[in-house]
Amino acid sequence: MSTPAIQNVVILGATGSVGASALDVISRNPERYSVFALTAHHQVERLARLCLRHSPRYAVIADEAAANHLRRLLRAAFSTTEVLCGAQGLCEVARAPAAGTVLAAIVGAAGLEPALAAVRAGKKVLLANKEALVVSGQLFMDAVESSGACLLPIDSEHNAIFQSLPAHYQRDPEAAGVRRILLTASGGPFRNTPLQALEAVTPEDACAHPVWNMGRKISVDSATMMNKGLEVIEARWLFGTPANRIEVVIHPQSVVHSMVDYVDGSVIAQLGNPDMRIPIAHALAWPERVHSGVSALDLFSIATLNFERPAFERFPCLALAYQAIEAGGTMPAALNAANEEAVAAFLDRRLGFCRISEVIAATLERAERDEASTLEAVLEADARAREVARGEIGKRGPS
Ligand code: NDP
C-alpha cells in the first residue's frame, strides 16, 4: 500500500476535550498527520504546552494581551510557532492554503465563523461543533455544496449514522431507502433521578456524566438532553432527514452510537467503546482506517444493551428543540443562544438547573422568526435571543 500524503491539521478548540482526543490520535499516527495550527480561547499556558509538544506553524488565542503572553512563553522555550489572535486569526488559520484538514471543536456559536471559513475554503472539515449547524444549518450546507468541502461528522452519533449509511449517500433518505434514523442518547446523569430532586442539582452533579468525559457545557446539555435536541437538528442538516424521521432512543450503555433503519426492515448500527478517539480517527483517516488507541469492544463484559423511550416531562429541553426545528428559520439559532446563556448562568451558579428549560421556553416565546438566509440574519437572531435570555435569567436566579 502506498503511503498517504501527510495531512496538515488545524485544531480549532485544541485545549478542549475533543481537541485533546484529536491530538492523541494524531500523535499515534505521525506518518499521516502533522499539526498546522492550534487554537484556544483563555487557556494560554495549556496552549503553550501543546505548542511545545506539537510544534504547529500557528497558534491562535482570544486577544492581543493573551497573544503577547503566549508569545513570551513560546519565545522562552525557543518555539518558532507564530501567534495570531481573535476571530480573524481563527478564520485565517481555518482557510490557510497549507491547511488540508480542519477540526471544528470550539464550543458554542463562537465556532460558527471559523468553521464556515474552512468550509468556504473547500477544506476537509471534521465537525464536532454541532452548534454551528444548529445556528446556520441551511447556510452551512449550501456552503459545503458550493465549495466542494468534504464535511465529516465527529459527534459520535452522527459519525455512527455516517458509517451506517450507504457509501455515496446524497442527503436523500427516500432514494437510499432510509426509513428512520435512530439517534441514541445515554440519558445523562439524571435519567432515573426523582423529578423533585432535580431542583437541587449542582454544576458538579450535572458535569459528572456516567459514561462520557466531556467539556462542561456539553455535559450540562447531556444532563438536560438539550444535547440530543441539538443533535436532532444537526442530523437533520447533515443527512437531509426531516425531524419526524429522527427518533431519539435512550441507550444507557452508550455502546451503540446510533442506527439507520431501512425500508426493508434492516437496521445498521455502529458500535464501539464510548471514546471520542473512535469517530475522530474514523474521520481523519476516512475512507481508510487508523489506530485510535481505543481498546477492542468487549461484548461479554457489556453483556446487556438496553433501550428506552425518552420522557419529555423529564427532559423539556428535548421538546423545545423539536419545536424550534418545526418553526424553522432563525428559531434554532434563538434556541441555541438561549441555551448557551442559561447553561453558562447555571455553571456560574446564577440559575437553577430546572430553570434552564424555562429560560429557553420564555426566550423562544418572545423570539421573532426570520428567514435564516444570511449569516447576518442568524447572528442578529442569536444576539437578540441572548439579550432576552439574560433578562429571563435575571428574573429567576439560582434557586
Ligand atoms: P471544551 O469546553 O472542552 O473545549 C472547548 C474549546 O473551545 C476549548 O479549546 C476552548 O478554549 C475553546 N473556546 C471556548 N470558547 C471559545 C471562543 N469564544 N472562541 C474561541 N474558542 C473558544 O468543549 P468540548 O471539547 O467538550 O466540545 C467542543 C465541541 O464539540 C462542542 O460543540 C461540543 O458540543 C462538541 N462535542 C463534544 C464532545 C465531547 O466528547 N466533548 C462529543 C461530541 C461533540 P479554552 O480552553 O482556552 O477556553
Side-chain angles (χ1 to χ4, degrees), residues 19 54-55 81 85 103 112 115 138 150 159 207-208 213 239 256 265 301 329 331 333-334 360 378 387:
H54 298 280
S55 310
T81 298
C85 70
L103 175 86
L112 168 60
Q138 185 72 59
C150 171
N159 183 270
C207 289
N213 183 9
F239 306 116
V256 177
S301 72
M331 294 306 268
I360 300 165
V378 292
E387 201 178 314

Side-chain angles (χ1 to χ4, degrees), residues 13 15-18 41-43 105 110 128-131 155 214-215 276:
T15 46
S17 154
V18 172
H41 195 46
H42 287 312
Q43 294 201 70
N129 177 220
K130 61 194 85 183
E131 295 92 343
D155 212 348
M214 310 180 285
M276 281 301 288

Side-chain angles (χ1 to χ4, degrees), residues 265-281:
S266 301
V267 176
I268 312 265
Q270 184 259 357
L271 281 71
N273 285 317
D275 189 319
M276 281 301 288
R277 290 177 297 174
I278 297 177
I280 292 168

Side-chain angles (χ1 to χ4, degrees), residues 12-21 39-44 46-47 61-62 90 104-108 110-111 114 127-132 154-157 212-219 221 227 230-231 234 276:
L12 302 170
T15 46
S17 154
V18 172
S21 295
T39 86
H41 195 46
H42 287 312
Q43 294 201 70
V44 179
R46 187 155 177 197
L47 182 59
I61 192 81
L90 293 173
I106 288 175
V107 62
L127 188 72
N129 177 220
K130 61 194 85 183
E131 295 92 343
I154 57 167
D155 212 348
S156 59
E157 294 78 0
W212 292 96
N213 183 9
M214 310 180 285
R216 281 161 69 77
K217 191 259 178 185
I218 186 176
S219 296
D221 285 348
N227 184 48
L230 300 179
E231 287 181 7
E234 184 185 8
M276 281 301 288

Side-chain angles (χ1 to χ4, degrees), residues 3-271:
T3 318
I6 292 229
Q7 281 182 45
N8 278 333
V9 185
V10 174
I11 304 187
L12 302 170
T15 46
S17 154
V18 172
S21 295
L23 285 168
D24 185 86
V25 175
I26 288 173
S27 302
R28 288 168 193 277
N29 297 280
E31 71 294 352
R32 285 179 174 252
Y33 309 111
S34 141
V35 177
F36 180 75
L38 296 176
T39 86
H41 195 46
H42 287 312
Q43 294 201 70
V44 179
E45 290 177 9
R46 187 155 177 197
L47 182 59
R49 284 195 296 278
L50 293 179
C51 289
L52 297 180
R53 165 118 205 268
H54 298 280
S55 310
R57 189 157 342 149
Y58 295 100
V60 187
I61 192 81
D63 52 36
E64 201 49 58
N68 284 332
H69 183 187
L70 182 59
R71 282 185 194 112
R72 277 195 299 276
L73 293 173
L74 293 178
R75 223 177 288 132
F78 307 105
S79 160
T80 55
T81 298
E82 193 176 322
V83 178
L84 308 177
C85 70
Q88 201 186 330
L90 293 173
C91 292
E92 214 170 295
V93 294
R95 60 175 165 244
T101 299
V102 178
L103 175 86
I106 288 175
V107 62
L112 168 60
E113 289 187 64
L116 204 50
V119 164
R120 286 179 173 153
K123 305 292 182 197
K124 172 174 168 181
V125 179
L126 276 47
L127 188 72
N129 177 220
K130 61 194 85 183
E131 295 92 343
L133 267 186
V134 170
V135 169
S136 72
Q138 185 72 59
L139 272 172
F140 202 90
M141 297 312 294
D142 288 350
V144 169
E145 191 137 319
S146 58
S147 70
C150 171
L151 182 65
L152 295 165
I154 57 167
D155 212 348
S156 59
E157 294 78 0
H158 302 75
N159 183 270
I161 295 161
F162 180 85
Q163 294 198 48
S164 304
L165 284 166
H168 301 291
Y169 182 72
Q170 292 291 324
R171 300 183 68 229
D172 183 349
E174 289 295 333
V178 172
R179 181 160 44 201
R180 282 177 310 167
I181 283 176
L182 301 169
L183 193 67
T184 55
S186 70
F190 309 132
R191 186 170 56 90
N192 294 318
T193 307
L195 288 180
Q196 306 88 306
L198 292 179
E199 289 289 343
V201 160
T202 65
E204 290 73 27
D205 300 330
C207 289
H209 195 279
V211 187
W212 292 96
N213 183 9
M214 310 180 285
R216 281 161 69 77
K217 191 259 178 185
I218 186 176
S219 296
V220 177
D221 285 348
S222 296
T224 61
M225 275 192 84
M226 177 56 93
N227 184 48
K228 216 43 58 178
L230 300 179
E231 287 181 7
V232 170
I233 304 176
E234 184 185 8
R236 183 250 173 280
W237 291 113
L238 281 172
F239 306 116
T241 327
N244 62 9
R245 286 196 191 207
I246 305 172
E247 192 169 330
V248 174
V249 180
I250 293 188
H251 165 49
Q253 293 86 2
S254 297
V255 164
V256 177
H257 295 304
S258 277
M259 297 168 263
V260 177
D261 174 20
Y262 289 88
V263 289
D264 62 3
S266 301
V267 176
I268 312 265
Q270 184 259 357
L271 281 71

